[in-house]
């Protein structure tokens, strides 16, 4: 399975993501600079975390209007799997590839800790390796992770089973509506999530709960 | 033409920053505050004299970049720069 990793000015979790992809799939992801207007022919596109454009205007807003995003939108329509983590999630919502918006954390604090996630929908290329209702550990590190959507959009997200992960056991770190930590598009080929599965893939990280997502996504198992 | 674009959160969208500002104002002794909502102001100098064209252009800017209409709403004021 071939993958591409998109890099913006201010991306800073790209190296962790490259290592995770390489370690788990034994293949290097193709690195694509945001100003590119051509996207290589790949099965998986990953938008890593960070602070693209210093979070100017709104988190992810300027990156979402980068030249490469046109190609990413077309790839999404074709059914290419797209994963956005943290700032990648913010970019996908700003680009309109995922519904809702990620606002300032309710506490106003930057949160950096491990939370519990419940796997809500395991019928996707991203989450197939997990059991439904499985509780996993996952680190978070963000200032703007407070998921918001209007009532109508939120009920559509729930009805279409677009919720991939919810914060579990009272660990919602940011005030997200319905404890939403990660959502799919309607077609389930785009996933955005605030937690960082790439930072929990080996024993030295303190656990391997994030590894399963990459094994499913990259077709390793 | 100069445009001033005021962007605020839609009603019903929680504004934790506004809430923190309100608490701080309360702590300074301003107790007569019902609520505080924080927003953004953009001042854009446009190379265009026609009001209609300017307004159309600014609305387009709002839709395409300046405003996230999931959570925000906006209002536009136009000033003829030559009069200033």
């Amino acid at each position: 399975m071939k993958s591409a990793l998109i890099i913006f000015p201010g991306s800073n979790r790209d190296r962790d993501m490259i290592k995770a992809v390489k370690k788990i799939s034994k293949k290097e992801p193709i690195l694509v600079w945001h100003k590119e207007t051509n996207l290589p022919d790949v099965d998986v596109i990953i938008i890593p975390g960070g602070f693209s454009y210093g979070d100017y205007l709104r988190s992810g807003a300027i990156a979402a209007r980068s030249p490469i995003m046109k190609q990413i939108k077309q790839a999404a329509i074709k059914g290419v799997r797209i994963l956005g983590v943290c700032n990648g999630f913010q970019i996908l919502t700003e680009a309109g590839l995922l519904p809702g918006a990620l606002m300032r954390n309710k506490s106003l604090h930057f949160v950096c800790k491990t939370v519990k996630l419940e796997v809500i929908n395991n019928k996707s290329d991203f989450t197939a390796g997990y059991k439904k209702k499985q509780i996993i550990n996952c680190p978070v590190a963000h200032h703007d992770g407070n998921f918001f959507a209007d009532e109508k959009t939120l009920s559509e997200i729930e009805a279409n089973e677009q919720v991939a992960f919810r914060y579990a056991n009272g660990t919602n770190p940011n005030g997200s509506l319905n404890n939403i930590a990660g959502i799919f598009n309607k077609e389930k080929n785009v996933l955005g999530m605030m937690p960082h599965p790439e930072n929990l893939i080996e024993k030295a990280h303190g656990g391997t709960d994030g590894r399963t997502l990459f094994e499913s996504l990259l077709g390793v198992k | 033409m100069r445009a001033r674009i005021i962007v605020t959160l839609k009603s019903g969208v929680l504004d934790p920053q506004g809430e923190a500002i309100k608490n701080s104002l309360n702590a300074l002794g301003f107790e007569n505050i019902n609520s505080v909502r924080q927003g953004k102001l953009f001042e854009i100098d446009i190379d265009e004299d026609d009001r209609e064209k300017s307004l159309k252009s600014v609305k387009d800017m709002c839709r395409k970049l300046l405003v996230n209409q999931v959570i925000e709403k906006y209002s536009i004021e136009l000033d003829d720069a030559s009069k200033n």
Side-chain angles (χ1 to χ4, degrees):
Chain A
M1 200 147 313
K2 282 202 287 186
S3 65
L5 204 132
I6 315 297
I7 301 175
F8 299 91
S11 295
N12 66 6
R13 298 299 188 108
D14 44 336
R15 292 182 186 194
D16 296 9
M17 195 61 91
I18 293 165
K19 286 206 168 162
V21 170
K22 203 174 150 190
K23 199 154 196 143
I24 295 168
S25 72
K26 313 281 185 245
K27 280 183 196 161
E28 293 262 3
I30 302 166
L31 305 183
V32 181
W33 182 236
H34 71 116
K35 282 196 173 162
E36 293 285 332
T37 47
N38 284 314
L39 194 60
D41 188 19
V42 292
D43 311 290
V44 176
I45 298 167
I46 301 175
I47 307 180
F51 296 87
S52 58
Y53 292 93
D55 282 349
Y56 292 175
L57 187 61
R58 299 176 303 274
S59 299
I62 296 179
R65 279 85 179 167
S66 290
I68 195 64
M69 290 308 292
K70 270 189 188 168
Q71 302 299 317
I72 292 179
K73 283 178 189 175
Q74 285 177 8
I77 293 166
K78 283 187 202 155
V80 175
R81 301 168 184 185
I82 301 172
L83 171 66
V85 169
C86 198
N87 190 218
F89 184 14
Q90 294 161 345
I91 293 168
L92 290 173
T93 57
E94 278 284 347
L97 284 167
L98 290 172
L102 292 146
M103 303 184 57
R104 183 52 44 100
N105 294 344
K106 196 173 176 182
S107 64
L108 297 177
H109 295 296
F110 186 97
V111 287
C112 183
K113 58 181 176 185
T114 298
V115 297
K116 301 279 182 195
L117 300 180
E118 181 181 358
V119 180
I120 303 300
N121 183 347
N122 66 343
K123 290 181 212 149
S124 81
D125 293 330
F126 303 88
T127 52
Y130 296 110
K131 293 191 182 79
K132 196 177 176 177
K133 295 188 179 174
Q134 187 179 342
I135 304 287
I136 61 169
N137 289 311
C138 206
V140 292
H142 60 251
H143 210 167
D144 296 317
N146 182 354
F147 183 81
F148 175 87
D150 61 48
E151 249 176 67
K152 184 172 168 281
T153 308
L154 198 60
S155 60
E156 281 171 12
I157 289 169
E158 295 287 353
N160 295 328
E161 298 187 275
Q162 286 172 254
V163 180
F165 301 103
R166 279 190 224 280
Y167 300 110
N169 305 351
T171 61
N172 184 339
N174 51 39
S176 280
L177 290 178
N178 294 14
N179 294 316
I180 286 173
I183 53 165
F184 301 113
N185 62 342
K186 274 184 195 158
E187 294 75 20
K188 318 286 189 293
N189 68 310
V190 180
L191 169 66
M193 60 192 293
M194 288 312 297
H196 289 273
E198 76 276 19
N199 292 143
L200 204 64
I201 63 157
E202 54 186 302
K203 277 186 184 164
H205 284 157
T208 58
D209 285 356
R211 197 179 176 95
T212 312
L213 187 142
F214 292 97
E215 287 169 350
S216 303
L217 177 62
L218 300 165
V220 175
K221 272 190 182 170
Chain B
M1 193 73 73
R2 284 200 187 128
R4 287 162 65 88
I5 302 147
I6 297 166
V7 180
T8 50
L9 288 171
K10 286 180 176 172
S11 58
V13 176
L14 187 77
D15 179 10
Q17 292 178 98
E19 193 62 26
I21 294 163
K22 176 179 177 282
N23 292 341
S24 186
L25 287 171
N26 285 153
L28 288 170
F30 298 99
E31 283 165 4
N32 54 350
I33 304 166
N34 290 325
S35 70
V36 177
R37 305 282 282 170
Q38 185 182 293
K40 289 181 194 133
L41 169 68
F42 299 95
E43 289 181 326
I44 301 184
D45 194 343
I46 312 163
D47 189 12
E48 172 60 67
D49 295 329
D50 186 85
R51 285 188 78 86
E52 287 280 306
K53 282 184 190 164
S54 300
L55 189 62
K56 190 171 177 291
S57 170
V58 173
K59 278 187 178 171
D60 219 22
M61 293 177 205
C62 288
R63 276 193 297 267
K64 287 186 177 162
L65 178 63
L66 301 179
V67 182
N68 180 339
Q69 295 192 76
V70 173
I71 48 174
E72 296 169 328
K73 57 186 167 62
Y74 64 94
S75 61
I76 298 167
E77 294 166 9
L78 286 180
D79 269 324
D80 189 338
S82 66
K83 287 179 191 163
N84 292 334

